Amino acid sequence: MSMNTPLKTVPQSKHSEVHSTASFARSLAKRIGPGVFTLAVGLVLAVTLIQAQGYQPLPTILAGLDYAIGDAPSIARTLAWGLPLFVATMGVALAYRSGMFNIGAEGQIYAGAMAAALTGAYIGPMFTGLHLFLCLAVSALTGGAVAAGLGWLRAVWNVDEVLSTLLSNYIIMLFCAYLATAPLRDPARQSGTTKAVHETAMFSELIPQTQLTSALFVVIVLCAATWWLSERSVTGYRWRMTGESSAFAAAVGINVRRSRIGSMTVSGALCGIAGALLVTASQGRFWTEIGTGIGWDAVLLAMIARARPLSAVVWVLVYSVMRSAARGIEQVSTVPSELSLILISGIIIAATARAGLFSRVAELKKILIRSEGK
Amino acid sequence: MPSSGVQDTQPVLELRGITKIFGPVVANKDVDFDLKAGEIHALVGENGAGKTTLMRILYGMYQPDGGTIVMDGRPVGFKKPMDAINHGIGMVHQHFMLVPGFTVAENVTLGAEPRRNGFFDHAAANDSLVEPMKRLGISLDPETVTGTLNVATQQKLEIIKVLYRGAKIIILDEPTAVLTPQETEELFVLLKTLANDGSSVIFISHKLREVFAVADRITVLRNGQTIQTFNAAQTDAASVVAAMTGRTDVNLGRVERTEPTDGTVLEVKGLETGKHGADAALKSISFSVRPGEVLGIAGVEGNGQSTLAETLIGIQPLDAGFIRLRDVELGGLNVAERRSKGLSYVAEDRHLEGIPLNGTVLEGISAGLIRRDSSPVGLGLAFPRTVRHWSTHMIKKYSIKTSGPGAKCSTLSGGNQQKIVMARELEDKPDCIILAQPTRGVDLGAIEFLYNQVAEATAAGCAVVLISADMDEILRLSDRVLVMYGGSIVAEQQTDATSREELGMYMVGAQTMKVGK
C-alpha cells in the first residue's frame, strides 16, 4: 500500500478526447443496459397478460404499437397526450434530486389547471401569446405557492413532506371540484366544469386532428431548462447536495432550508404548468376529472428515472407510447387499457430489483472468470 | 509485559489459507493465523487490511471462499455465530451489543437464559455471573440497569457475557477505542488474567503502543494477506509499522512544525449551548488560539466536543458567549458567512458531513469554490472549465488515489476521502480551521500526509482547533491541550509538559484544574 506515490497523470490534451469517447460509450451502455432490462421485463409481462386473455400476444402488441406510432398523426396524438406529463415528471424529478419526495404532483396539477382555466376564461380575450403566457404564469405561481408552502413546512417545522404532499392532493382536488361544481360552474353545462377559456388562451394545433399543439415548443424549452437547472447550474448543485446528504450540505455552507423550499417551489410551478397545458393545449376548460392521474404517473416515472432529467424524458416517451398502445390494444381485443398501468408498475418493481440482481450477476461472472483462470 | 500463561503446545486454533472475496474485492487472500492456549495474539493492520473479515469468518458471520479452520487439530466449519459460540469462541464487538434497559444479569444471559418452568430464572441468572466475575477479578451488582454503567464497565460486561457462554477464545475488536488511558490499562490487566487462566485472546487493534503492551505475538495483515507474525518481545514498533504499511519511512512521532507566533486568531468566551442529541451541552467554554498554533481538545467522546465543533462553525446555535475570528464576531452568522470570514471545518463524520458519498470527487472537492458564487439565482454553470482544472490539480497535489474527478466518492478509501475534505478546506486558505477527528479510519501513511498538510498551513499562520478522541493525535500535533469533561473545559496544559496519564485523569473527571481567566 503506497499512499504517497504520486498519481500517474495523463497529459490532458492528447488523450482526453479518445478517452472521453470510450468512457462515454461505456457510460451510455451502463445507462441503457438497465433500461433495456426493465423494458424486457415489461414486454414479458405484457405477453403474459395478453396471452391470459386468450389473444395472440405479438400481433396484438403490434396492432397496439401501430395505433400509437404507426404514422405521423398517430405519433402526434401520442406525443400530444404526453406533453403535460413531460413537464410534471420534470417537476417531480427536480424535487427528488434535493431529497424532497413531492408526491403532491396531482394536486399541484389540479391547482394549475384551475388557475389556467380561470385566467383563460375571465381575463381577456387578448393577444394570444400574452394570454397564454399569463395562463402559464398564473398556473406556475399557483402550483409553486402550494409546493412552497409544503416545502416550508418540511424545512422549518420538519413536517414529513411525504405525508403533507400526499394529503395536499385531496385538499386541492376536492377544493377545485367544489369550485367547478358550485361557485364557478358553467351554467350552460350539466357536469362540473368551469367556463370555456377564450380562443386566445388556447395553443394552436400543429397537425390538424391530432391535438398536437405548439405547446410542444414550450415543453421542450421547459425540459431543457430543468435539465440545466438541476444538473449543471450552481443552484442545482446546492439542491443535489442537499438531497445527497443534508449534513454535508450544511457543513459546507449550503443553506439547506433554502434548497428545500426552492426546489419544491420550482417543482410545484412545473406541475402547475402541466395542469395549465391540460386546459390550454387540450380541454379548453377545467373539469373535475381533468388530471386523470398524470400526477401519479409523474411520481412513478421520476422514480424509475432515478430523478435524472434526461432519463425522465426517455421514460415519459416510453410510457406515452405504452399508454397509447394499450388504448390501441383495447380497441382490437378485450385487454383493458389499464394494461399500461400494470406494466409500468411491473417495470418499477423490476427496476427496483434490478440493482441487486445486476450486482449478483457481476459477482457470479467474476467468480467464473477467476475459477477459469485457475 | 506479555502474559506468562502461554503453553508451547499445539495451537488451539488455526486458520489455514483463508480466502474471502466480496465482488471485486479480495478481502482475505490465503491468510494464515494460529492461536495458542493462554496467549494474547494481536491482529494488526491498516483499515481494509482484512482483520474484521477474518474475525467474522472465524465467528461464523461470513463463510470463507477458501481455506479451513482447525480447532484442537480437527477441521471445523461455522455456518452461523452460534456454531462458533458452541466451539468456545466469543466476540466482543466494537459497538456493544447490550440492551440498555436490561439489568446486568439479563444482558449477560440474553440468548441463553436459565429457565424455570418455562420462565426466566432470576436467581439462577444472578448466580451464573459469580463464576465469570471471579475469574476476571471484578464485581458488579447483577441487578444494576446496564444503561447506567459507564462505557468501560459495559465493555467488561461484554467480556462476562462471552465467558458465561463458555468462551475459551475471546476476540476483541478495537476494544480500546472507547476507553481512556487508565481504563485501557485496567482492560489489559483483565486480559492478562484471562490468558494466565488458560484462555486465549485475539486482540484487534491499530494502536501499536497498546499492542506491544499486551500481546505475546503480533500478526500483521496488509491488503488481505498475512505479512508476518512477530514475537512481541523480539521486535519493535518500527518493524511492525513497516510490515503494516510496506514502507520504512513512516513517522509515528511528533510532527515537525514551526512555532506559533504572538496574537489571537480565534477567541471564544463564555460559550453556552443547549443539549443537542447525545452529546453534552457546552458550559461557559472560553479559549483562544494564536496564529500558527494547534490547540488540541481531548476528552472521552460525548463530553461536548461535537457540540463545540458544530457551534464554532455555526451548525448549532449558541445560547450565550461570543466567537471572534480576528475581531469579527461570528455568533450571529450562518455557516457560509463564517466560512467566508476565514473559518474552515473538517467534520467528524466523513461519510455524512465530509463528502457527498454518492456524489463525485469533483462535487465534494469544489464545494468551497461554489460557495463563493454569490449570484442570487445561481443559474450559472457550477463546474466551469477552471473549476474542473483546479480539481484535477488538487487530486495531484494531495495525491488522491482515484480514477478522476468524475469518480464516485464512495469508491475511494477512507484516507483518500479525507484528502478530498482536507484539500477543500485547506485550499480555502482559512485563518482558522476546526479539525474534528481528522484521521479517524485513515491509514498511517495518509495520516502522516494529512499532518504535514496541517503543519504547512500552520507555518502560514493558520490557527488550528484539533478535536480528537485519539490521544496520540493530540500529542503528535498540538502545542497546547484542553480537556473537556461534561461540556466544560477541565484542564489546560502545554503538550510538552503533560503526559497521556495526566490527561487521562482529567478526561474521566477525576481531577479538575482552574482554567480560563
Side-chain angles (χ1 to χ4, degrees):
Chain A
M1 173 163 315
S2 48
M3 298 301 305
N4 284 2
T5 36
L7 276 181
K8 270 189 199 151
T9 46
V10 184
Q12 278 286 309
S13 52
K14 224 179 160 186
H15 293 280
S16 61
E17 213 168 290
V18 184
H19 180 73
S20 69
T21 346
S23 71
F24 178 72
R26 222 177 305 127
S27 77
L28 199 69
K30 231 182 189 174
R31 271 189 209 175
I32 289 178
V36 169
F37 167 76
T38 40
L39 273 184
V41 170
L43 200 63
V44 170
L45 208 60
V47 166
T48 317
L49 287 172
I50 294 167
Q51 186 90 56
Q53 293 281 316
Y55 291 90
Q56 291 268 321
L58 220 55
T60 314
I61 290 174
L62 283 178
L65 283 178
D66 187 52
Y67 176 84
I69 49 173
D71 50 14
S74 312
I75 295 175
R77 185 172 9 87
T78 301
L79 207 54
W81 181 84
L83 287 186
L85 190 56
F86 279 104
V87 183
T89 307
M90 281 302 187
V92 177
L94 194 64
Y96 282 5
R97 277 296 242 172
S98 73
M100 299 293 282
F101 202 63
N102 180 15
I103 53 177
E106 185 80 357
Q108 289 146 25
I109 287 170
Y110 269 82
M114 177 57 89
L118 298 183
T119 313
Y122 291 93
I123 301 177
M126 61 178 94
F127 170 59
T128 186
L130 183 66
H131 205 174
L132 278 172
F133 174 78
L134 211 60
C135 287
L136 297 195
V138 172
S139 304
L141 281 176
T142 312
V146 168
L150 297 167
W152 185 86
L153 283 178
R154 168 76 166 93
V156 180
W157 283 350
N158 212 16
V159 176
D160 187 359
E161 86 278 4
V162 176
L163 205 67
S164 68
T165 55
L166 176 71
L167 295 178
S168 72
N169 284 328
Y170 302 107
I171 298 173
I172 295 167
M173 287 162 69
L174 290 173
F175 181 66
C176 288
Y178 158 75
L179 289 181
T181 47
L184 299 173
R185 182 179 156 192
D186 181 356
R189 292 244 181 168
Q190 287 219 325
S191 59
T193 68
T194 59
K195 262 169 61 180
V197 299
H198 294 289
E199 266 312 299
T200 52
M202 290 295 287
F203 282 98
S204 55
E205 269 193 339
L206 284 178
I207 302 173
Q209 309 296 315
T210 61
Q211 292 204 342
L212 185 67
T213 60
S214 48
L216 176 66
F217 305 116
V218 174
V219 171
I220 291 172
V221 168
L222 285 176
C223 287
T226 310
W227 168 79
W228 177 272
L229 174 65
S230 170
E231 305 302 309
R232 286 291 176 271
S233 77
V234 169
T235 298
Y237 169 81
R238 292 181 177 140
W239 292 358
R240 279 186 284 117
M241 292 304 109
T242 302
E244 174 56 42
S245 166
S246 59
F248 167 76
V252 298
I254 293 169
N255 189 330
V256 171
R257 266 185 199 188
R258 213 173 125 180
S259 293
R260 286 187 168 146
I261 299 174
S263 71
M264 274 299 274
T265 308
V266 179
S267 170
L270 285 168
C271 290
I273 291 177
L277 292 181
L278 287 175
V279 173
T280 58
S282 150
Q283 307 287 329
R285 59 173 81 221
F286 180 93
W287 59 292
T288 47
E289 308 278 306
I290 193 167
T292 62
I294 67 163
W296 298 111
D297 294 341
V299 166
L300 294 182
L301 290 167
M303 221 153 73
I304 308 182
R306 291 171 50 236
R308 299 318 191 265
L310 287 180
S311 42
V313 167
V314 173
W315 275 108
V316 175
L317 268 177
V318 169
Y319 182 67
S320 301
V321 171
M322 274 171 54
R323 270 294 279 244
S324 191
R327 231 170 290 130
I329 289 172
E330 193 179 39
Q331 289 180 4
V332 298
S333 70
T334 57
V335 181
S337 71
E338 277 72 27
L339 175 70
S340 64
L341 262 178
I342 297 175
L343 289 190
I344 205 73
S345 310
I347 283 179
I348 288 174
I349 294 169
T352 320
R354 160 196 97 201
L357 205 67
F358 268 52
S359 63
R360 280 281 168 80
V361 170
E363 199 172 319
L364 250 164
K365 244 193 231 161
K366 286 226 172 71
I367 291 171
L368 285 176
I369 290 167
R370 208 177 297 116
S371 60
E372 268 172 30
K374 275 184 186 172
Chain B
M1 272 303 291
S3 62
S4 50
V6 187
Q7 291 147 27
D8 217 5
T9 51
Q10 195 195 9
V12 288
L13 169 77
E14 272 183 281
L15 300 172
R16 291 186 193 149
I18 298 289
T19 298
K20 178 69 187 176
I21 300 154
F22 296 107
V25 181
V26 183
N28 282 161
K29 190 177 173 192
D30 270 330
V31 174
D32 294 320
F33 181 86
D34 69 279
L35 188 67
K36 293 172 184 157
E39 174 187 47
I40 299 179
H41 194 151
L43 188 60
V44 302
E46 301 268 47
N47 305 288
K51 298 168 292 188
T52 304
T53 305
L54 188 66
M55 288 304 112
R56 288 190 173 167
I57 288 171
L58 175 57
Y59 197 53
M61 293 163 81
Y62 295 152
Q63 305 308 310
D65 294 321
T68 47
I69 303 173
V70 178
M71 285 189 79
D72 298 319
R74 280 189 309 276
V76 288
F78 301 145
K79 292 258 172 274
K80 51 184 188 297
M82 195 48 88
D83 299 339
I85 292 169
N86 290 338
H87 278 81
I89 297 174
M91 179 127 148
V92 175
H93 296 270
Q94 197 173 353
H95 303 284
F96 300 155
M97 310 277 174
L98 297 170
V99 185
F102 276 20
T103 66
V104 165
E106 284 167 343
N107 260 312
V108 168
T109 56
L110 186 63
E113 302 86 353
R115 285 160 199 273
R116 195 170 57 192
N117 305 328
F119 288 97
F120 182 67
D121 186 346
H122 270 284
N126 291 355
D127 288 345
S128 63
L129 266 67
V130 173
E131 147 68 20
M133 287 204 295
K134 208 171 77 189
R135 274 179 66 193
L136 291 173
I138 56 178
S139 78
L140 277 177
D141 179 5
E143 299 288 347
T144 312
V145 175
T146 308
T148 63
L149 299 170
N150 67 25
V151 173
T153 314
Q154 291 195 17
Q155 189 174 56
K156 285 174 190 154
L157 192 54
E158 285 275 11
I159 298 174
I160 295 174
K161 204 164 94 180
V162 300
L163 292 180
Y164 167 78
R165 294 293 194 91
K168 295 287 287 175
I169 296 171
I170 299 155
I171 308 166
L172 294 117
D173 188 2
E174 300 277 359
T176 61
V178 291
L179 302 181
T180 65
Q182 281 78 11
E183 290 167 340
T184 303
E185 284 306 316
E186 284 176 36
L187 174 71
F188 288 171
V189 169
L190 197 141
L191 294 183
K192 285 172 188 168
T193 313
L194 278 174
N196 280 327
D197 221 22
S199 295
S200 309
V201 175
I202 303 175
F203 181 79
I204 304 175
S205 182
H206 66 270
K207 294 186 182 170
L208 291 183
R209 199 175 29 75
E210 297 175 354
V211 166
F212 276 99
V214 73
D216 300 301
R217 285 195 298 162
I218 302 165
T219 290
V220 178
L221 294 186
R222 186 171 83 229
N223 291 341
Q225 288 172 287
T226 318
I227 300 300
Q228 203 178 339
T229 297
F230 298 94
N231 266 322
Q234 287 150 15
T235 187
D236 55 14
S239 318
V240 177
V241 171
M244 279 168 75
T245 59
R247 290 170 47 198
T248 50
D249 59 345
V250 179
N251 171 23
L252 290 182
R254 187 143 172 92
V255 179
E256 255 187 72
R257 299 222 346 270
T258 51
E259 284 290 312
T261 52
D262 284 336
T264 303
V265 178
L266 183 74
E267 193 188 0
V268 171
K269 199 149 197 176
L271 216 55
E272 306 254 351
T273 67
K275 198 166 156 49
H276 294 277
D279 204 14
L282 301 185
K283 290 176 217 150
S284 68
I285 299 279
S286 302
F287 60 83
S288 62
V289 195
R290 293 189 289 157
E293 185 185 32
V294 177
L295 175 67
I297 295 187
V300 179
E301 275 182 76
N303 281 289
Q305 300 97 312
S306 309
T307 309
L308 175 61
E310 292 187 349
T311 309
L312 288 177
I313 192 64
I315 294 171
Q316 288 192 16
L318 54 90
D319 293 344
F322 66 74
I323 305 165
R324 278 191 197 138
L325 182 67
R326 292 209 186 279
D327 294 325
V328 178
E329 170 65 45
L330 297 182
L333 305 181
N334 65 27
V335 178
E337 288 160 345
R338 290 183 199 204
R339 281 177 171 276
S340 52
K341 298 286 183 212
L343 197 62
S344 260
Y345 173 51
V346 172
E348 66 176 51
D349 189 331
R350 182 165 53 241
H351 287 174
L352 210 60
E353 307 163 276
I355 49 164
L357 200 54
N358 291 315
T360 61
V361 172
L362 176 63
E363 287 173 335
I365 206 166
S366 53
L369 291 184
I370 297 175
R371 194 191 69 245
R372 300 216 185 94
D373 184 311
S374 55
S375 65
V377 199
L379 290 180
L381 195 57
F383 304 111
R385 210 185 181 78
T386 46
V387 173
R388 281 181 283 132
H389 277 274
W390 177 84
S391 73
T392 319
H393 174 60
M394 282 305 126
I395 289 172
K396 249 178 275 176
K397 182 173 171 187
Y398 284 81
S399 320
I400 299 170
K401 275 210 275 181
T402 171
S403 57
K408 264 195 176 186
C409 289
S410 57
T411 61
L412 273 65
S413 74
N416 284 302
Q417 290 175 347
Q418 194 68 351
K419 283 179 182 177
I420 296 177
V421 180
M422 280 290 204
R424 179 182 71 222
E425 301 300 336
L426 289 176
E427 290 302 319
D428 247 5
K429 301 287 175 222
D431 292 328
C432 176
I433 185 165
I434 303 153
L435 304 175
Q437 319 293 354
T439 59
R440 181 172 284 173
V442 174
D443 293 343
L444 293 176
I447 288 178
E448 196 188 358
F449 180 87
L450 293 174
Y451 285 173
N452 288 336
Q453 297 299 319
V454 173
E456 244 176 66
T458 56
C462 179
V464 178
V465 178
L466 172 68
I467 297 171
S468 182
D470 181 352
M471 194 76 95
D472 289 310
E473 182 155 274
I474 301 262
L475 294 175
R476 284 176 69 187
L477 203 53
S478 68
D479 301 297
R480 194 154 52 95
V481 197
L482 303 180
V483 180
M484 284 189 76
Y485 178 75
S488 307
I489 293 172
V490 294
E492 173 175 2
Q493 288 285 14
Q494 293 299 318
T495 307
D496 54 17
T498 186
S499 66
R500 189 182 302 279
E501 288 68 31
E502 188 193 8
L503 294 176
M505 296 298 286
Y506 292 117
M507 280 165 69
V508 293
Q511 229 170 294
T512 308
M513 62 191 271
K514 270 247 177 280
V515 190
K517 296 101 214 170

